[in-house]
Amino acid sequence: MSRLRDTTTDTLGFRAATLNLGRMIAHQAIGEMFVATGFRIQTPVEETVGHAILGSSSLVPILRAGLALEAPFLEVLPRSKVWHLGVSRDHVTKQPRPYSCAVPDRIEEDDFGTRTCFVLDPMLATGGSAEYAVRLLKGRGAKQIVFVGVVGAPEGVAFLHERHPDVPIHLAQLDRELNSDAYILPGLGDFGDRWTGSVP
Ligand code: PRP
Ligand code: URA
């Protein structure tokens, strides 16, 4: 987290820290998936009870910044479908502006039971972008949605939770507040710019 916040961290360091943190968050967030218990397995020493994740998963990275969490989540859930969602926050109004959508029109369950949709976006500021993504997924039939971020502001957490109390929120860190420009304090600046290398 500290490497991400630090202005002296370059693009390479920023990407490496995101990958590490992303793996940790992914391991935590998969706890929201359906786990079946009860089947018997034989260890070399004796028989015991096994556990397995039964449901399937879809990753929904919100472009651009959400792309940074795609690789660590695919390491942990390699069979996931990936549905990119392009949303940018209007500089003046701070409202989400969708510009592309690769989410299927109808999200179906599959043979393995409930599909968990992980909305990936490192920054939860006002919560507008995350709320838009969750609403879109619900409108297309998603039954189980989990939001995953890196840094959140209390304002964004409250906004998302108020509108979608059924959606668990996983963050590496809950920060203090938003500034007058709706940036997170202390935060890490513009995640998308830093991860893509648009700023040094
Ligand atoms: C950033 C960030 C989130 C959004 C969070 O995206 O990646 O998507 O802002 O703000 P919110 O909670 O107030 O909606 P941005 O619009 O800067 O696009 P980018 O990822 O392409 O940089
Ligand atoms: N988006 C970012 O990238 N950073 C913030 O602090 C707020 C929105």
Side-chain angles (χ1 to χ4, degrees):
M1 243 349 282
S2 301
R3 288 206 188 118
L4 291 178
R5 293 193 194 281
D6 191 340
T7 50
T8 66
T9 302
D10 64 7
T11 307
L12 202 63
F14 194 86
R15 288 178 180 158
T18 301
L19 195 58
N20 268 332
L21 203 49
R23 288 180 182 127
M24 294 180 214
I25 306 169
H27 277 107
Q28 189 197 58
I30 60 167
E32 304 289 349
M33 291 183 71
F34 182 68
V35 174
T37 55
F39 62 89
R40 315 290 308 172
I41 47 170
Q42 180 69 48
T43 80
V45 189
E46 66 171 14
E47 198 182 80
T48 188
V49 175
H51 313 270
I53 293 173
L54 268 197
S56 50
S57 52
S58 292
L59 310 181
V60 187
I62 301 182
L63 309 180
R64 296 171 301 173
L67 283 176
L69 295 176
E70 182 179 311
F73 265 76
L74 279 177
E75 282 182 16
V76 177
L77 293 167
R79 294 180 197 277
S80 299
K81 294 192 183 302
V82 180
W83 302 331
H84 291 138
L85 192 56
V87 182
S88 70
R89 191 171 80 152
D90 185 275
H91 288 297
V92 178
T93 66
K94 312 303 176 199
Q95 293 303 303
R97 284 204 314 206
Y99 57 86
S100 83
C101 178
V103 176
D105 293 341
R106 194 73 215 145
I107 298 169
E108 309 286 356
E109 304 290 296
D110 68 18
D111 297 345
F112 301 105
T114 302
R115 171 172 297 281
T116 304
C117 297
F118 292 94
V119 174
L120 308 180
D121 191 337
M123 307 307 278
L124 182 63
T126 66
S129 307
E131 196 282 329
Y132 169 81
V134 169
R135 193 157 25 94
L136 180 131
L137 289 167
K138 284 186 175 176
R140 296 186 181 203
K143 300 273 187 306
Q144 192 177 357
I145 304 171
V146 178
F147 177 82
V148 179
V150 173
V151 180
E155 293 92 328
V157 172
F159 182 76
L160 184 59
H161 183 69
E162 229 167 65
R163 277 157 183 78
H164 303 286
D166 56 318
V167 173
I169 300 171
H170 286 263
L171 296 169
Q173 191 97 57
L174 181 63
D175 271 7
R176 195 175 72 244
E177 60 183 343
L178 295 179
N179 70 11
S180 57
D181 205 24
Y183 269 76
I184 299 172
L185 297 175
L188 50 77
D190 188 308
F191 192 102
D193 282 354
R194 296 190 66 193
W195 189 79
T196 57
S198 306
V199 287

